[in-house]
Amino acid sequence: MSSLSSLALTHRFYQLPKAFYTPVEATPLDNTRWVSWNAPLAVQFSLDESLPSGDLKAFLAGEQRVEDWPSLAMKYAGHQFGVYNPDLGDGRGLLLGELKDAKGEVYDLHLKGAGLTPYSRMGDGRAVLRSTIREYLGSEAMAGLGIPTTRALGMLASDTPVYREKQERGALLLRVARSHLRFGHFEHFFYTNQLSELRLLADKAIEWYWPECQTATKPYLAMFEQIVERTAHMIAMWQAVGFAHGVMNTDNMSILGETFDYGPFCFLDDYDPQLICNHSDYQGRYAFDQQPRIALWNLSALAHALSPLVDKADLEQGLGQFESVLNREFSAIMRKKLGLKTKLEQDPQLFSAMFELLAQQSVDYCRFMRALSMLDSEPEQNVIDLFVDRGAASDWLSLYLARCECEVDESGSPVSAHDRCAAMRQVNPKYILRNYLAQMAIDNAEQGDYQLVNELALVLQSPYDEHPNFEHFAALPPDWGKRLEISCSS
Protein backbone atom coordinates (compact mmCIF):
# COMPACT_ATOMS: atom_id res chain seq x y z
CA MET A 1 0.00 0.00 0.00
CA SER A 2 1.66 3.24 -1.10
CA SER A 3 -1.12 5.79 -1.32
CA LEU A 4 -3.58 7.34 1.07
CA SER A 5 -6.53 6.34 -1.11
CA SER A 6 -5.93 2.66 -0.32
CA LEU A 7 -5.87 3.18 3.47
CA ALA A 8 -9.07 1.65 4.84
CA LEU A 9 -9.77 3.61 8.01
CA THR A 10 -12.92 3.52 10.12
CA HIS A 11 -13.80 5.83 12.99
CA ARG A 12 -16.31 4.33 15.43
CA PHE A 13 -15.19 6.58 18.31
CA TYR A 14 -16.22 9.59 16.21
CA GLN A 15 -19.81 8.27 16.28
CA LEU A 16 -19.98 8.88 20.03
CA PRO A 17 -21.33 12.16 21.48
CA LYS A 18 -19.07 15.20 21.59
CA ALA A 19 -18.63 14.77 25.36
CA PHE A 20 -16.15 12.01 24.57
CA TYR A 21 -13.69 14.01 22.46
CA THR A 22 -12.81 17.21 20.65
CA PRO A 23 -11.98 17.24 16.91
CA VAL A 24 -8.48 18.66 16.55
CA GLU A 25 -6.24 19.09 13.53
CA ALA A 26 -2.62 18.11 13.95
CA THR A 27 -0.03 20.88 13.91
CA PRO A 28 2.63 19.77 11.40
CA LEU A 29 6.28 19.53 12.34
CA ASP A 30 9.09 20.87 10.16
CA ASN A 31 10.93 18.54 7.78
CA THR A 32 9.65 15.22 9.10
CA ARG A 33 11.55 12.07 8.13
CA TRP A 34 11.28 8.46 9.14
CA VAL A 35 13.41 7.19 11.99
CA SER A 36 11.92 3.72 11.80
CA TRP A 37 9.06 1.89 10.12
CA ASN A 38 7.85 -1.30 11.79
CA ALA A 39 7.68 -3.44 8.66
CA PRO A 40 6.59 -6.74 10.35
CA LEU A 41 3.73 -4.95 12.10
CA ALA A 42 2.82 -2.97 8.98
CA VAL A 43 2.31 -6.19 7.05
CA GLN A 44 -0.27 -7.29 9.63
CA PHE A 45 -2.35 -4.27 8.60
CA SER A 46 -1.88 -4.83 4.85
CA LEU A 47 0.58 -1.95 4.65
CA ASP A 48 3.75 -2.04 2.59
CA GLU A 49 7.01 -2.98 4.25
CA SER A 50 8.70 -0.01 2.59
CA LEU A 51 8.63 3.45 4.13
CA PRO A 52 5.38 5.33 3.39
CA SER A 53 5.82 8.34 1.16
CA GLY A 54 3.71 10.92 -0.64
CA ASP A 55 0.20 11.59 0.61
CA LEU A 56 0.20 8.50 2.86
CA LYS A 57 3.29 9.69 4.72
CA ALA A 58 1.83 13.20 4.88
CA PHE A 59 -1.36 11.89 6.48
CA LEU A 60 0.46 9.68 8.97
CA ALA A 61 2.70 12.61 9.93
CA GLY A 62 -0.26 14.92 10.55
CA GLU A 63 0.58 17.08 7.55
CA GLN A 64 -2.47 16.32 5.42
CA ARG A 65 -6.05 16.38 6.60
CA VAL A 66 -8.77 14.11 5.20
CA GLU A 67 -12.31 15.45 5.47
CA ASP A 68 -13.91 12.08 6.20
CA TRP A 69 -11.32 11.16 8.85
CA PRO A 70 -11.28 13.86 11.54
CA SER A 71 -8.56 13.43 14.14
CA LEU A 72 -9.80 13.42 17.73
CA ALA A 73 -8.41 14.28 21.15
CA MET A 74 -10.07 12.02 23.73
CA LYS A 75 -11.31 13.41 27.02
CA TYR A 76 -10.63 11.51 30.25
CA ALA A 77 -9.50 12.12 33.83
CA GLY A 78 -7.53 10.10 36.35
CA HIS A 79 -5.73 9.71 39.65
CA GLN A 80 -2.13 10.85 39.33
CA PHE A 81 0.08 9.73 42.21
CA GLY A 82 -3.13 9.02 44.12
CA VAL A 83 -4.67 12.47 43.60
CA TYR A 84 -7.67 12.94 41.31
CA ASN A 85 -7.07 15.26 38.36
CA PRO A 86 -10.14 16.21 36.30
CA ASP A 87 -8.19 18.14 33.66
CA LEU A 88 -6.74 15.30 31.64
CA GLY A 89 -7.18 14.11 28.09
CA ASP A 90 -5.11 13.62 24.96
CA GLY A 91 -2.75 16.52 25.50
CA ARG A 92 -0.28 15.62 22.75
CA GLY A 93 -1.88 12.81 20.81
CA LEU A 94 -4.70 12.41 18.32
CA LEU A 95 -6.82 9.41 17.36
CA LEU A 96 -6.61 9.20 13.56
CA GLY A 97 -9.06 6.33 13.18
CA GLU A 98 -9.08 2.54 13.22
CA LEU A 99 -7.41 -0.14 11.11
CA LYS A 100 -8.22 -3.83 10.77
CA ASP A 101 -5.47 -6.40 10.95
CA ALA A 102 -5.25 -9.61 8.95
CA LYS A 103 -7.47 -11.37 11.51
CA GLY A 104 -10.18 -8.73 11.22
CA GLU A 105 -9.50 -7.24 14.65
CA VAL A 106 -9.89 -3.48 14.97
CA TYR A 107 -6.98 -1.35 16.22
CA ASP A 108 -6.79 2.35 17.01
CA LEU A 109 -4.29 4.39 15.02
CA HIS A 110 -2.96 7.20 17.19
CA LEU A 111 -0.47 9.98 16.43
CA LYS A 112 1.55 11.03 19.47
CA GLY A 113 3.27 14.42 19.44
CA ALA A 114 0.75 16.01 17.06
CA GLY A 115 0.51 19.41 18.78
CA LEU A 116 -1.74 21.36 21.10
CA THR A 117 -5.20 20.13 22.08
CA PRO A 118 -7.75 21.51 24.57
CA TYR A 119 -6.27 19.05 27.09
CA SER A 120 -2.62 20.08 26.77
CA ARG A 121 -2.87 22.14 29.97
CA MET A 122 0.53 23.86 30.33
CA GLY A 123 2.19 21.51 27.83
CA ASP A 124 3.18 22.14 24.23
CA GLY A 125 1.50 19.08 22.74
CA ARG A 126 4.79 17.74 21.46
CA ALA A 127 6.87 14.62 21.98
CA VAL A 128 10.65 14.68 21.79
CA LEU A 129 12.85 12.21 19.97
CA ARG A 130 14.18 10.50 23.10
CA SER A 131 10.72 9.77 24.55
CA THR A 132 9.50 8.58 21.16
CA ILE A 133 12.43 6.18 20.79
CA ARG A 134 11.91 4.85 24.31
CA GLU A 135 8.22 4.14 23.70
CA TYR A 136 8.89 2.60 20.29
CA LEU A 137 11.59 0.29 21.61
CA GLY A 138 9.78 -0.36 24.89
CA SER A 139 6.58 -1.47 23.23
CA GLU A 140 8.48 -3.68 20.79
CA ALA A 141 10.42 -5.23 23.67
CA MET A 142 7.20 -6.04 25.53
CA ALA A 143 5.55 -7.46 22.42
CA GLY A 144 8.59 -9.63 21.80
CA LEU A 145 8.33 -10.95 25.36
CA GLY A 146 4.68 -11.83 24.77
CA ILE A 147 3.36 -9.23 27.21
CA PRO A 148 0.13 -7.40 26.24
CA THR A 149 1.06 -3.93 25.02
CA THR A 150 0.37 -1.14 22.62
CA ARG A 151 2.62 -1.19 19.54
CA ALA A 152 4.05 1.40 17.19
CA LEU A 153 3.94 1.37 13.40
CA GLY A 154 6.79 3.80 13.21
CA MET A 155 8.27 7.09 14.29
CA LEU A 156 9.42 10.28 12.65
CA ALA A 157 11.95 12.95 13.56
CA SER A 158 11.74 16.63 12.66
CA ASP A 159 13.58 19.96 12.82
CA THR A 160 10.97 21.57 15.08
CA PRO A 161 12.56 22.74 18.34
CA VAL A 162 10.89 21.49 21.53
CA TYR A 163 11.92 22.68 24.98
CA ARG A 164 12.24 20.35 27.97
CA GLU A 165 15.22 20.50 30.33
CA LYS A 166 17.04 21.59 27.18
CA GLN A 167 16.18 22.28 23.57
CA GLU A 168 15.35 19.08 21.71
CA ARG A 169 13.67 18.14 18.46
CA GLY A 170 10.03 17.21 18.05
CA ALA A 171 9.13 13.70 16.99
CA LEU A 172 6.03 11.65 16.21
CA LEU A 173 4.98 8.14 17.20
CA LEU A 174 2.37 6.18 15.27
CA ARG A 175 0.84 4.06 18.02
CA VAL A 176 -1.58 1.21 17.45
CA ALA A 177 -3.67 -0.31 20.22
CA ARG A 178 -6.75 -2.47 20.43
CA SER A 179 -8.17 0.31 22.57
CA HIS A 180 -7.16 3.67 23.99
CA LEU A 181 -9.90 3.50 26.63
CA ARG A 182 -8.41 4.01 30.07
CA PHE A 183 -9.69 3.71 33.62
CA GLY A 184 -9.72 7.50 33.51
CA HIS A 185 -12.41 7.59 30.82
CA PHE A 186 -14.90 6.08 33.25
CA GLU A 187 -13.66 8.30 36.10
CA HIS A 188 -14.29 11.43 34.02
CA PHE A 189 -17.96 10.69 33.43
CA PHE A 190 -18.49 9.50 37.00
CA TYR A 191 -16.99 12.55 38.70
CA THR A 192 -18.76 14.98 36.34
CA ASN A 193 -22.06 13.16 36.97
CA GLN A 194 -22.55 12.38 33.28
CA LEU A 195 -24.13 9.04 34.07
CA SER A 196 -25.81 8.48 30.72
CA GLU A 197 -22.41 8.92 29.05
CA LEU A 198 -20.88 6.59 31.62
CA ARG A 199 -23.42 3.93 30.74
CA LEU A 200 -22.90 4.51 27.01
CA LEU A 201 -19.15 4.15 27.44
CA ALA A 202 -19.62 0.85 29.26
CA ASP A 203 -22.08 -0.34 26.60
CA LYS A 204 -19.62 0.47 23.81
CA ALA A 205 -16.72 -1.18 25.64
CA ILE A 206 -18.79 -4.34 25.96
CA GLU A 207 -19.92 -4.17 22.33
CA TRP A 208 -16.41 -3.60 21.00
CA TYR A 209 -14.29 -5.79 23.25
CA TRP A 210 -16.44 -8.23 25.22
CA PRO A 211 -19.63 -8.98 23.25
CA GLU A 212 -20.02 -12.18 25.27
CA CYS A 213 -20.77 -9.97 28.30
CA GLN A 214 -23.95 -8.73 26.63
CA THR A 215 -25.73 -11.98 27.47
CA ALA A 216 -24.43 -12.14 31.06
CA THR A 217 -26.91 -11.71 33.91
CA LYS A 218 -24.97 -8.61 34.96
CA PRO A 219 -23.18 -7.30 31.87
CA TYR A 220 -21.39 -4.40 33.57
CA LEU A 221 -20.11 -6.65 36.33
CA ALA A 222 -18.94 -9.14 33.71
CA MET A 223 -17.06 -6.31 31.99
CA PHE A 224 -15.42 -5.27 35.27
CA GLU A 225 -14.38 -8.84 35.98
CA GLN A 226 -12.73 -8.99 32.56
CA ILE A 227 -10.76 -5.82 33.36
CA VAL A 228 -9.70 -7.19 36.75
CA GLU A 229 -8.51 -10.47 35.26
CA ARG A 230 -6.64 -8.86 32.37
CA THR A 231 -4.97 -6.35 34.67
CA ALA A 232 -3.88 -9.09 37.06
CA HIS A 233 -2.47 -11.10 34.16
CA MET A 234 -0.53 -8.09 32.87
CA ILE A 235 0.94 -7.27 36.29
CA ALA A 236 1.98 -10.90 36.84
CA MET A 237 3.92 -10.77 33.57
CA TRP A 238 5.52 -7.44 34.51
CA GLN A 239 6.73 -8.81 37.83
CA ALA A 240 7.98 -12.08 36.35
CA VAL A 241 10.04 -10.41 33.63
CA GLY A 242 11.29 -7.55 35.84
CA PHE A 243 9.48 -4.64 34.17
CA ALA A 244 8.86 -1.42 36.09
CA HIS A 245 6.32 0.95 34.54
CA GLY A 246 7.15 3.97 36.67
CA VAL A 247 3.92 5.95 36.47
CA MET A 248 0.86 3.77 37.06
CA ASN A 249 -1.69 6.57 37.20
CA THR A 250 -5.26 5.51 36.42
CA ASP A 251 -5.12 7.47 33.16
CA ASN A 252 -2.25 5.17 32.13
CA MET A 253 -4.22 1.96 32.74
CA SER A 254 -5.79 0.24 29.73
CA ILE A 255 -9.14 -1.48 30.22
CA LEU A 256 -7.78 -4.33 28.08
CA GLY A 257 -4.82 -5.00 30.35
CA GLU A 258 -2.27 -3.78 27.81
CA THR A 259 0.93 -2.02 28.83
CA PHE A 260 0.19 1.59 28.05
CA ASP A 261 1.92 5.01 27.97
CA TYR A 262 5.62 4.28 28.24
CA GLY A 263 7.22 7.04 30.29
CA PRO A 264 9.96 6.46 32.88
CA PHE A 265 9.89 2.67 32.53
CA CYS A 266 12.79 0.26 32.85
CA PHE A 267 13.68 -3.41 32.98
CA LEU A 268 15.55 -4.51 36.08
CA ASP A 269 19.29 -4.92 35.73
CA ASP A 270 20.41 -5.89 39.23
CA TYR A 271 17.45 -7.46 40.99
CA ASP A 272 16.10 -4.75 43.28
CA PRO A 273 12.48 -5.23 44.34
CA GLN A 274 12.34 -1.66 45.68
CA LEU A 275 13.59 -0.05 42.48
CA ILE A 276 12.06 3.37 41.70
CA CYS A 277 12.59 4.05 38.02
CA ASN A 278 10.83 7.45 37.94
CA HIS A 279 12.96 10.13 39.57
CA SER A 280 9.80 12.22 40.03
CA ASP A 281 8.33 9.49 42.27
CA TYR A 282 9.73 10.89 45.50
CA GLN A 283 7.74 8.59 47.80
CA GLY A 284 8.25 5.39 45.83
CA ARG A 285 4.56 4.96 45.12
CA TYR A 286 5.32 3.20 41.84
CA ALA A 287 8.35 1.17 42.92
CA PHE A 288 8.73 -2.23 41.27
CA ASP A 289 7.47 -4.21 44.26
CA GLN A 290 4.49 -1.86 44.70
CA GLN A 291 3.03 -2.48 41.24
CA PRO A 292 0.61 -5.25 42.29
CA ARG A 293 -0.72 -3.12 45.15
CA ILE A 294 -1.10 -0.07 42.91
CA ALA A 295 -2.88 -2.09 40.24
CA LEU A 296 -5.45 -3.14 42.84
CA TRP A 297 -5.74 0.47 44.04
CA ASN A 298 -6.37 1.59 40.47
CA LEU A 299 -8.98 -1.13 39.98
CA SER A 300 -10.67 0.07 43.17
CA ALA A 301 -10.78 3.58 41.70
CA LEU A 302 -12.36 2.15 38.56
CA ALA A 303 -14.85 0.19 40.66
CA HIS A 304 -15.87 3.42 42.39
CA ALA A 305 -16.45 5.04 38.98
CA LEU A 306 -18.63 2.06 37.95
CA SER A 307 -20.70 2.14 41.15
CA PRO A 308 -23.74 3.72 39.40
CA LEU A 309 -23.84 0.65 37.13
CA VAL A 310 -22.79 -2.20 39.45
CA ASP A 311 -23.77 -3.00 43.04
CA LYS A 312 -21.07 -2.37 45.62
CA ALA A 313 -21.06 -5.98 46.82
CA ASP A 314 -20.56 -7.22 43.26
CA LEU A 315 -17.70 -4.79 42.70
CA GLU A 316 -16.01 -5.94 45.90
CA GLN A 317 -16.39 -9.54 44.80
CA GLY A 318 -14.85 -8.70 41.45
CA LEU A 319 -11.94 -6.92 43.12
CA GLY A 320 -11.46 -9.95 45.32
CA GLN A 321 -10.45 -11.97 42.28
CA PHE A 322 -7.41 -9.81 41.57
CA GLU A 323 -5.02 -11.32 44.09
CA SER A 324 -5.88 -14.93 43.31
CA VAL A 325 -5.51 -14.39 39.54
CA LEU A 326 -2.25 -12.48 40.04
CA ASN A 327 -0.75 -15.15 42.29
CA ARG A 328 -1.87 -17.97 40.03
CA GLU A 329 -0.50 -16.32 36.90
CA PHE A 330 2.77 -15.24 38.52
CA SER A 331 3.36 -18.70 39.92
CA ALA A 332 2.65 -20.31 36.56
CA ILE A 333 5.05 -17.99 34.74
CA MET A 334 7.84 -18.44 37.29
CA ARG A 335 7.49 -22.21 37.14
CA LYS A 336 7.96 -22.06 33.39
CA LYS A 337 10.97 -19.79 33.81
CA LEU A 338 12.49 -22.30 36.24
CA GLY A 339 11.52 -25.33 34.18
CA LEU A 340 9.14 -26.78 36.78
CA LYS A 341 5.77 -28.19 35.71
CA THR A 342 4.63 -29.85 38.93
CA LYS A 343 3.97 -28.27 42.32
CA LEU A 344 5.78 -29.54 45.40
CA GLU A 345 5.43 -28.44 49.01
CA GLN A 346 8.96 -27.03 49.19
CA ASP A 347 8.61 -24.87 46.06
CA PRO A 348 7.57 -21.60 47.77
CA GLN A 349 10.68 -21.76 49.95
CA LEU A 350 12.86 -22.40 46.90
CA PHE A 351 11.36 -19.40 45.07
CA SER A 352 11.63 -17.10 48.10
CA ALA A 353 15.23 -18.08 48.71
CA MET A 354 16.04 -17.33 45.08
CA PHE A 355 14.54 -13.84 45.11
CA GLU A 356 16.12 -13.07 48.47
CA LEU A 357 19.55 -14.16 47.25
CA LEU A 358 19.22 -12.17 44.02
CA ALA A 359 18.32 -9.04 45.97
CA GLN A 360 21.01 -9.47 48.62
CA GLN A 361 23.72 -10.06 46.02
CA SER A 362 22.46 -7.48 43.48
CA VAL A 363 22.53 -10.07 40.71
CA ASP A 364 21.40 -9.21 37.21
CA TYR A 365 17.92 -10.74 36.91
CA CYS A 366 17.84 -11.35 33.15
CA ARG A 367 21.36 -12.77 33.05
CA PHE A 368 20.64 -15.10 36.00
CA MET A 369 17.45 -16.55 34.54
CA ARG A 370 19.06 -17.04 31.14
CA ALA A 371 22.08 -18.72 32.75
CA LEU A 372 19.77 -21.19 34.48
CA SER A 373 18.30 -22.05 31.09
CA MET A 374 21.76 -22.81 29.67
CA LEU A 375 22.75 -25.49 32.19
CA ASP A 376 22.35 -28.22 29.58
CA SER A 377 25.35 -26.87 27.68
CA GLU A 378 27.23 -24.55 30.04
CA PRO A 379 28.83 -25.22 33.45
CA GLU A 380 27.08 -24.55 36.75
CA GLN A 381 29.93 -22.21 37.61
CA ASN A 382 28.53 -19.69 35.13
CA VAL A 383 25.52 -19.29 37.41
CA ILE A 384 27.53 -19.31 40.63
CA ASP A 385 29.96 -16.68 39.36
CA LEU A 386 27.12 -14.16 39.03
CA PHE A 387 27.12 -13.93 42.84
CA VAL A 388 29.60 -12.39 45.25
CA ASP A 389 28.71 -15.02 47.85
CA ARG A 390 29.45 -18.06 45.72
CA GLY A 391 28.87 -20.44 48.62
CA ALA A 392 25.29 -19.27 49.09
CA ALA A 393 24.73 -19.41 45.34
CA SER A 394 26.10 -22.93 45.14
CA ASP A 395 23.86 -24.07 48.00
CA TRP A 396 20.74 -22.69 46.31
CA LEU A 397 21.71 -24.09 42.94
CA SER A 398 22.14 -27.55 44.46
CA LEU A 399 18.65 -27.35 45.93
CA TYR A 400 17.26 -26.18 42.59
CA LEU A 401 18.91 -28.94 40.56
CA ALA A 402 17.74 -31.54 43.06
CA ARG A 403 14.23 -30.16 42.65
CA CYS A 404 14.53 -30.41 38.86
CA GLU A 405 15.29 -34.10 39.18
CA CYS A 406 11.76 -34.59 40.57
CA GLU A 407 10.26 -33.57 37.22
CA VAL A 408 8.87 -36.26 34.96
CA ASP A 409 7.33 -36.11 31.50
CA GLU A 410 3.97 -37.44 30.32
CA SER A 411 5.30 -41.00 30.17
CA GLY A 412 6.65 -40.82 33.71
CA SER A 413 10.27 -40.63 32.64
CA PRO A 414 12.61 -38.03 34.18
CA VAL A 415 12.75 -34.76 32.24
CA SER A 416 16.21 -34.38 30.73
CA ALA A 417 18.30 -31.27 31.31
CA HIS A 418 18.19 -30.64 27.57
CA ASP A 419 14.39 -30.68 27.39
CA ARG A 420 14.03 -28.61 30.53
CA CYS A 421 16.50 -25.96 29.42
CA ALA A 422 15.19 -25.83 25.87
CA ALA A 423 11.75 -24.98 27.26
CA MET A 424 13.25 -22.45 29.67
CA ARG A 425 15.02 -20.65 26.83
CA GLN A 426 11.60 -19.95 25.30
CA VAL A 427 10.55 -17.94 28.38
CA ASN A 428 13.83 -16.48 29.66
CA PRO A 429 15.00 -13.79 27.24
CA LYS A 430 18.60 -13.30 26.28
CA TYR A 431 17.87 -9.70 25.37
CA ILE A 432 15.92 -7.01 27.19
CA LEU A 433 15.75 -3.27 26.59
CA ARG A 434 18.29 -2.11 29.12
CA ASN A 435 18.26 1.61 29.85
CA TYR A 436 21.82 2.08 28.67
CA LEU A 437 21.01 0.53 25.29
CA ALA A 438 18.04 2.84 24.86
CA GLN A 439 20.21 5.80 25.83
CA MET A 440 22.89 4.86 23.30
CA ALA A 441 20.23 4.60 20.58
CA ILE A 442 18.87 8.01 21.60
CA ASP A 443 22.32 9.62 21.58
CA ASN A 444 23.00 8.30 18.07
CA ALA A 445 19.56 9.28 16.80
CA GLU A 446 19.97 12.84 18.04
CA GLN A 447 23.00 12.99 15.75
CA GLY A 448 20.92 11.71 12.83
CA ASP A 449 22.09 8.07 13.02
CA TYR A 450 19.11 5.72 13.37
CA GLN A 451 20.91 2.41 12.78
CA LEU A 452 21.07 1.41 16.46
CA VAL A 453 17.37 2.13 16.93
CA ASN A 454 16.49 -0.24 14.12
CA GLU A 455 18.97 -2.93 15.17
CA LEU A 456 17.58 -2.93 18.70
CA ALA A 457 14.02 -3.09 17.41
CA LEU A 458 14.93 -6.10 15.29
CA VAL A 459 16.53 -8.01 18.17
CA LEU A 460 13.85 -7.11 20.71
CA GLN A 461 11.13 -8.50 18.45
CA SER A 462 12.60 -11.97 19.07
CA PRO A 463 14.46 -11.67 22.41
CA TYR A 464 14.65 -15.42 23.08
CA ASP A 465 16.73 -16.11 19.97
CA GLU A 466 20.52 -16.05 19.98
CA HIS A 467 21.16 -13.29 17.37
CA PRO A 468 24.92 -14.04 17.05
CA ASN A 469 25.54 -10.75 15.21
CA PHE A 470 24.19 -8.77 18.14
CA GLU A 471 25.72 -10.52 21.16
CA HIS A 472 26.84 -7.12 22.49
CA PHE A 473 23.20 -6.24 23.20
CA ALA A 474 23.17 -8.99 25.85
CA ALA A 475 26.11 -7.47 27.72
CA LEU A 476 25.68 -6.29 31.28
CA PRO A 477 25.38 -2.51 31.61
CA PRO A 478 28.50 -0.45 32.24
CA ASP A 479 28.68 1.56 35.46
CA TRP A 480 27.31 4.67 33.77
CA GLY A 481 24.40 2.66 32.42
CA LYS A 482 23.01 1.67 35.81
CA ARG A 483 20.50 3.84 37.66
CA LEU A 484 20.01 6.26 34.80
CA GLU A 485 17.52 8.93 35.82
CA ILE A 486 14.37 8.78 33.72
CA SER A 487 11.62 11.35 34.12
CA CYS A 488 8.04 11.56 32.87
CA SER A 489 9.07 14.27 30.40
CA SER A 490 11.42 11.83 28.75
Side-chain angles (χ1 to χ4, degrees), residues 145-148 232-242 325-341 343 351 354-355 365 369 423-424 426-429 464:
L145 292 167
I147 299 175
H233 180 71
M234 177 186 72
I235 298 297
M237 298 185 80
W238 286 7
Q239 301 305 115
V241 79
V325 174
L326 173 70
N327 291 338
R328 182 185 71 236
E329 293 294 328
F330 180 75
S331 177
I333 297 168
M334 290 308 304
R335 287 183 181 281
K336 288 182 179 179
K337 289 175 75 68
L338 290 169
L340 306 176
K341 296 182 179 181
K343 294 183 180 181
F351 293 174
M354 180 190 74
F355 285 119
Y365 182 58
M369 297 304 299
M424 290 172 65
Q426 300 304 309
V427 292
N428 289 306
Y464 304 105

Side-chain angles (χ1 to χ4, degrees), residues 224-451:
F224 180 65
E225 290 173 337
Q226 285 278 352
I227 297 173
V228 170
E229 182 172 345
R230 288 167 181 256
T231 302
H233 180 71
M234 177 186 72
I235 298 297
M237 298 185 80
W238 286 7
Q239 301 305 115
V241 79
F243 174 79
H245 185 278
V247 59
M248 288 177 63
N249 298 327
T250 58
D251 56 296
N252 291 337
M253 297 292 291
S254 161
I255 66 167
L256 296 185
E258 296 186 339
T259 311
F260 198 52
D261 274 351
Y262 290 83
F265 71 89
C266 77
F267 290 87
L268 298 185
D269 293 319
D270 295 345
Y271 186 76
D272 178 4
Q274 298 178 327
L275 176 72
I276 303 168
C277 65
N278 180 356
H279 84 244
S280 302
D281 185 6
Y282 305 113
Q283 297 180 336
R285 176 181 177 85
Y286 299 138
F288 174 71
D289 63 356
Q290 296 300 305
Q291 291 182 147
R293 181 182 67 84
I294 292 299
L296 180 57
W297 193 98
N298 289 343
L299 286 165
S300 299
L302 175 61
H304 186 56
L306 292 174
S307 58
L309 307 179
V310 185
D311 290 340
K312 180 180 178 181
D314 288 338
L315 289 168
E316 291 177 348
Q317 180 179 341
L319 285 170
Q321 297 300 308
F322 175 80
E323 188 173 353
S324 62
V325 174
L326 173 70
N327 291 338
R328 182 185 71 236
E329 293 294 328
F330 180 75
S331 177
I333 297 168
M334 290 308 304
R335 287 183 181 281
K336 288 182 179 179
K337 289 175 75 68
L338 290 169
L340 306 176
K341 296 182 179 181
T342 57
K343 294 183 180 181
L344 297 182
E345 185 177 348
Q346 69 266 32
D347 287 351
Q349 290 80 11
L350 182 70
F351 293 174
S352 296
M354 180 190 74
F355 285 119
E356 183 177 345
L357 194 60
L358 290 173
Q360 288 175 347
Q361 301 287 302
S362 297
V363 173
D364 188 271
Y365 182 58
C366 178
R367 175 65 63 85
F368 169 77
M369 297 304 299
R370 186 72 177 187
L372 283 184
S373 72
M374 300 299 295
L375 287 175
D376 60 334
S377 60
E378 297 182 0
E380 296 174 15
Q381 197 64 37
N382 285 7
V383 176
I384 296 171
D385 286 346
L386 296 173
F387 296 78
V388 174
D389 188 343
R390 287 170 171 77
S394 180
D395 290 343
W396 181 87
L397 186 59
S398 295
L399 291 173
Y400 167 69
L401 291 175
R403 170 63 182 84
C404 290
E405 292 177 1
C406 300
E407 292 292 305
V408 295
D409 60 22
E410 290 77 5
S411 66
S413 301
V415 175
S416 68
H418 172 75
D419 289 346
R420 181 187 75 247
C421 290
M424 290 172 65
R425 286 191 287 271
Q426 300 304 309
V427 292
N428 289 306
K430 182 173 182 176
Y431 302 94
I432 56 171
L433 180 60
R434 298 182 184 276
N435 264 342
Y436 87 97
L437 292 174
Q439 189 59 53
M440 289 170 59
I442 291 166
D443 292 343
N444 288 4
E446 288 179 338
Q447 300 303 314
D449 180 358
Y450 308 136
Q451 180 177 346

Side-chain angles (χ1 to χ4, degrees), residues 62-140:
E63 299 163 357
Q64 180 171 327
R65 181 172 179 269
V66 178
E67 192 68 34
D68 295 335
W69 300 337
S71 50
L72 311 177
M74 290 180 163
K75 172 58 186 167
Y76 47 83
H79 281 84
Q80 298 187 313
F81 291 89
V83 179
Y84 182 70
N85 186 343
D87 300 321
L88 302 178
D90 284 336
R92 58 175 176 170
L94 297 175
L95 181 64
L96 299 181
E98 295 117 8
L99 288 171
K100 282 188 178 181
D101 70 1
K103 298 178 181 178
E105 294 186 15
V106 178
Y107 283 75
D108 290 347
L109 179 62
H110 187 269
L111 183 62
K112 194 169 184 177
L116 288 171
T117 80
Y119 316 119
S120 298
R121 295 181 288 165
M122 301 299 291
D124 57 15
R126 294 303 189 191
V128 294
L129 187 60
R130 62 189 161 99
S131 64
T132 306
I133 289 173
R134 280 180 56 82
E135 178 157 355
Y136 180 77
L137 293 178
S139 60
E140 285 308 287

